[in-house]
Amino acid sequence: MSKEQQLQLDAILRQGGLDTSADVPKLRAAFSELMAQVPVAPDVQQKPVELGGVAGIEVTVEGNAAENVILYFHGGVYVIGSAAASVPLVGDLVRRTGTKAITVEYRLGPEHPYPAAVDDARAAYEGLLAQGIAPAQIALAGESAGGGLAVALLLSLREADVALPSCAYLMSPYADLTLSGETLAGKRELDPLLSPDGLRARVPDYVGGADAAGPYISPIFGDLRGLPPLLIQVGSHEVLLSDALRLAERAAIADVPVTLDVTPGVPHVFQAYAGLLDEAGAALDRAADFVTTQLAQD
């Protein structure tokens, strides 16, 4: 693993970083411009789909004859981001797991505050079940807000007595919208992407009039008993590091099989930079081992 790679990536991210405290239209435009520069590998195939009335993109790789599926939730503080923007990262995961994936176009705030994202996530999952796909053939995955949404979905399904998927893979989960984690301040200077002020500016867009400490908004405050195995990956340079640490702790206390995988010296959702950072590819390899092992349990 190269310290030079880490420093190079940090410089790139600081130079082209997003101002998450900007007004929403400007933020979305800047994000779209940034993500348009990220190439999709030539072997990755995309197809628009709909699950339970929710739009998404099916992502496959040539040569995969996949019966299992990853239901994927993109990041973006519940305000920006899109299924299309997640395709390069999802493609890397699909290639390694031999599955197909569907990345979900869940509704965003402030136009559609909580519980719209949770409702869409659940509709998409139940849409897979309605197609005859067994829960054991489904893995959840998500990055940042999408990681938090994946856990919120698990809690919602468990409370409704709906059969749970095989596992969930969470990259840098945004799991505490009360912003009470100690690393928000402690890692502020190290994080090239996110800041406490930027996160704080966006919380009302999603939370609206709800309680930010509610378990379907901030899963670290939920009762995690009965959830399937979790893999939580996070970088040590993230202001959201404490979200991952506390979520793993809550899962362990609740007897949930959980693996916490902290990579030193890397930023938020570092797995997205597999072409620049050795640690990113290695983390995705470990995630693929986890997902394929869990999907093979049936």
Side-chain angles (χ1 to χ4, degrees):
M1 304 305 178
S2 168
K3 185 66 174 177
E4 182 179 343
Q5 288 179 338
Q6 293 178 4
L7 293 172
Q8 180 184 23
L9 177 58
D10 186 271
I12 291 170
L13 295 176
R14 289 183 187 277
Q15 184 177 14
L18 290 172
D19 178 10
T20 53
S21 63
D23 67 78
V24 172
K26 288 182 180 178
L27 179 58
R28 287 175 177 166
F31 179 80
S32 296
E33 182 179 347
L34 180 66
M35 295 310 296
Q37 302 173 38
V38 181
V40 176
D43 62 341
V44 172
Q45 301 171 328
Q46 306 177 56
K47 181 175 75 173
V49 295
E50 188 175 281
L51 288 174
V54 180
I57 299 173
E58 181 182 274
V59 181
T60 55
V61 168
E62 294 176 12
N64 281 6
E67 295 182 358
N68 298 323
V69 59
I70 295 171
L71 189 63
Y72 191 91
F73 304 107
H74 68 79
V77 294
Y78 294 104
V79 175
I80 61 174
S82 66
S86 70
V87 168
L89 176 53
V90 174
D92 280 341
L93 188 57
V94 165
R95 185 181 300 104
R96 287 169 165 82
T97 56
T99 65
K100 67 178 179 181
I102 296 174
T103 175
V104 178
E105 198 76 79
Y106 61 89
R107 289 171 292 170
L108 301 174
E111 298 89 345
H112 304 284
Y114 170 83
V118 180
D119 290 345
D120 287 355
R122 182 166 165 183
Y125 179 78
E126 292 181 340
L128 284 177
L129 300 184
Q131 293 180 4
I133 299 174
Q137 293 178 276
I138 303 170
L140 303 185
E143 105 269 347
S144 194
L149 181 56
V151 184
L153 171 59
L154 291 174
L155 295 176
S156 175
L157 294 172
R158 186 200 61 196
E159 291 308 301
D161 203 25
V162 177
L164 299 179
S166 66
C167 62
Y169 167 41
L170 315 172
M171 289 171 270
S172 303
Y174 183 29
D176 175 15
L177 273 70
T178 72
L179 304 180
S180 61
E182 64 178 308
T183 57
L184 245 71
K187 298 291 183 176
R188 183 172 188 164
E189 298 304 317
L190 291 173
D191 193 323
L193 282 173
L194 299 179
S195 71
D197 291 342
L199 291 170
R200 196 170 292 113
R202 299 276 70 92
V203 167
D205 291 336
Y206 179 61
V207 173
D211 180 3
Y216 301 132
I217 295 175
S218 298
I220 65 157
F221 301 117
D223 178 358
L224 305 187
R225 285 178 294 178
L227 298 194
L230 307 177
L231 170 61
I232 303 171
Q233 290 184 338
V234 67
S236 72
H237 281 192
E238 300 196 40
V239 294
L240 293 182
L241 173 60
S242 53
D243 283 37
L245 300 179
R246 290 177 295 158
L247 185 63
E249 179 184 32
R250 293 283 294 173
I253 290 171
D255 291 325
V256 174
V258 58
T259 301
L260 175 64
D261 183 349
V262 182
T263 297
V266 297
H268 188 63
V269 194
F270 66 95
Q271 299 89 339
Y273 311 106
L276 298 173
L277 191 66
D278 291 342
E279 290 92 334
L284 286 170
D285 289 343
R286 295 192 297 274
D289 288 343
F290 168 79
V291 170
T292 54
T293 297
Q294 299 305 321
L295 289 170
Q297 295 299 311
D298 183 29

